[in-house]
Amino acid sequence: MSSNPLEIIDISNITPTTSNSILKSLQTQGFLFLDGHDFTQAEVDHLFCISKQFFSLATQHKQQYAIDSEDRGYATFRQENLDPDVNKVGDPKEAFNFGGFNFTTGDASNKSLPSIFTESENKIALQTISKKLYALSIKVLKAIAIALEISPEDGGSDWFGVRHAPEKTSMSTFRLLHYPSVSSMDSNQEIRAGAHTDYGSLTLLFQQKGQEGLQLFEPNASKDTDGKGTWSKVPFVESPNADYRSSGKAAPIVMNIADQLSFWTNGLLRSTLHRVVMPVGDVDRYSVVFFFDANNETELVPIPSKLVKESEGKGKGIEAITGDDGKPLTTKEYMLRRFKATYSKGH
Ligand SMILES: O=C(O)CCC(=O)C(=O)O
Ligand SMILES: [Fe+2]
């Protein structure tokens, strides 16, 4: 197994120690592995099976569900470009986005869905997974609120919870991704997903053994790099907990901080640059990503925390994204700005 640069944190119980370890990893690397979640391996296998079946459909069929202005639906090969300054032809991948969630039911509100996602067993699996992803994200945000010592008068450990209410609209997106193998592409391209930071609150990611390629950028990770930083591989890891492995729990889930949580904390938490590179062998990569965002009208204002106050002016703070009129942007306004720059062919 390749070496792992990230902490693996068990979040089955949110204690002050767990909360502080989460905060520390998110301050230094912006990435970590979550263990002690309640996803089973069978559930994750089913999810990847649904994904594979969808992507194996004819392109013409998939394009009937073309991505819309709300970022929902199918993005075809090379439609998305996460690093347009460097990549002129778009990323060599395809994706399907579910959005407009009601997390109390787990239902997305895409205008139409291919039948593979609505067949009863698959539909129930997708609803269950969406609800679990919501619950896991809220749990992590609660731990972050505890570590940030937000006082009860200011909202306490529910500070994030009220801004990520399950039934209120948000831009949260559940995304299936497929990066075709090199041979099927006949290309020398090395990057599968260009370098970028994510846009919302936090991101959760499932990947499969033998299909690695995700890398994160670590500034000044090594003295050899002249202060420029290095790209570190994010491997697939098994749980270090033998009970979890033997009881059929899924492997630890990759988690990273996205831009808005970085803004909210005056840059105390790092929204880390990451990318996906080609694998060593000739393999496809399937990954599943959950981008979790605050409710649409949430204003991007600093979190009432002493730690956040102390980092004012030190990191990428709110001032970097306030509108020209000096008013704070809302979550949705910020997301729409970023989407505009990401799609090479538009929606
Ligand atoms: O496929 C992956 O591992 C990462 C994808 C990603 O970073 C993204 O879609 O934002
Ligand atoms: Fe990303």
Side-chain angles (χ1 to χ4, degrees):
M1 199 181 74
S2 53
S3 67
N4 171 28
L6 304 178
E7 295 289 329
I8 302 176
I9 297 178
D10 188 323
I11 54 141
S12 51
N13 274 317
I14 297 290
T15 61
T17 313
T18 330
S19 303
N20 287 331
S21 316
I22 292 177
L23 189 75
K24 189 157 169 263
S25 295
L26 298 177
Q27 270 181 268
T28 50
Q29 293 181 297
F31 269 75
L32 54 82
F33 278 107
L34 292 172
D35 206 7
H37 53 70
D38 63 355
F39 285 91
T40 65
Q41 190 55 45
E43 217 166 19
V44 175
D45 288 346
H46 186 184
L47 175 60
F48 277 109
C49 177
I50 298 172
S51 169
K52 236 175 169 164
Q53 285 180 48
F54 169 72
F55 287 119
S56 65
L57 296 171
T59 305
Q60 228 179 354
H61 182 77
K62 290 182 280 191
Q63 272 174 333
Q64 288 171 19
Y65 305 93
I67 201 155
D68 61 22
S69 57
E70 306 248 49
D71 203 43
R72 296 172 202 163
Y74 174 66
T76 191
F77 192 69
R78 297 208 189 280
Q79 185 170 358
E80 188 180 274
N81 192 345
L82 286 169
D83 193 4
D85 292 340
V86 169
N87 180 5
K88 299 300 166 209
V89 289
D91 294 335
K93 67 182 190 207
E94 52 180 343
F96 190 91
N97 290 353
F98 297 87
F101 278 97
N102 178 335
F103 289 110
T104 51
T105 60
D107 285 320
S109 54
N110 290 41
K111 283 190 197 82
S112 62
L113 285 171
S115 60
I116 184 83
F117 299 141
T118 55
E119 285 161 15
S120 69
E121 249 187 51
N122 292 351
K123 182 178 171 172
I124 293 168
L126 290 168
Q127 284 170 327
T128 307
I129 289 170
S130 306
K131 284 193 277 187
K132 282 191 174 184
L133 285 166
Y134 173 80
L136 179 59
S137 305
I138 288 290
K139 196 170 187 183
V140 173
L141 288 175
K142 194 170 195 143
I144 296 172
I146 291 170
L148 288 175
E149 298 169 20
I150 302 173
S151 72
E153 308 82 74
D154 286 326
S157 63
D158 283 337
W159 196 90
F160 293 107
V162 299
R163 288 161 178 80
H164 295 77
E167 72 295 349
K168 284 197 187 157
T169 50
S170 76
M171 303 292 280
S172 296
T173 299
F174 178 60
R175 152 171 262 211
L176 309 178
L177 272 161
H178 173 220
Y179 305 84
S181 66
V182 185
S183 66
S184 65
M185 251 174 4
D186 191 24
S187 146
N188 292 322
Q189 192 166 356
E190 282 173 9
I191 302 293
R192 282 182 148 170
H196 66 282
T197 55
D198 293 337
Y199 315 155
S201 296
L202 59 83
T203 305
L204 300 174
L205 171 103
F206 296 102
Q207 56 179 353
Q208 290 179 295
K209 202 174 188 164
Q211 300 185 0
E212 293 83 351
L214 179 63
Q215 297 184 334
L216 69 107
F217 188 72
E218 302 210 71
N220 306 322
S222 145
K223 289 197 185 82
D224 310 336
T225 56
D226 230 5
K228 289 198 193 81
T230 46
W231 287 100
S232 300
K233 291 179 188 165
V234 179
F236 175 90
V237 298
E238 303 284 0
S239 171
N241 182 321
D243 289 344
Y244 290 165
R245 293 198 305 274
S246 64
S247 66
K249 261 191 198 279
I253 298 170
V254 181
M255 181 213 142
N256 64 280
I257 282 304
D259 290 347
Q260 295 186 39
L261 206 43
S262 190
F263 293 138
W264 270 333
T265 57
N266 282 328
L268 179 72
L269 300 187
R270 281 192 49 203
S271 173
T272 301
L273 208 56
H274 54 283
R275 66 182 186 183
V276 180
V277 297
M278 287 295 176
V280 176
D282 190 14
V283 287
D284 290 40
R285 173 178 169 87
Y286 291 87
S287 60
V288 178
V289 194
F290 181 60
F291 300 105
F292 190 45
D293 304 327
N295 302 133
N296 283 345
E297 307 315 321
T298 308
E299 286 191 343
L300 295 175
V301 293
I303 295 173
S305 150
K306 192 167 88 348
L307 296 173
V308 171
K309 184 97 194 109
E310 281 165 10
S311 61
E312 208 171 277
K314 289 188 194 144
K316 198 159 70 161
I318 308 283
E319 70 279 5
I321 47 152
T322 306
D324 291 340
D325 55 4
K327 279 205 200 134
L329 287 185
T330 62
T331 292
K332 186 168 181 181
E333 283 166 349
Y334 177 72
M335 300 295 283
L336 293 178
R337 262 194 199 188
R338 291 290 303 262
F339 288 148
K340 229 170 143 182
T342 305
Y343 288 95
S344 52
K345 296 177 196 155
H347 283 146

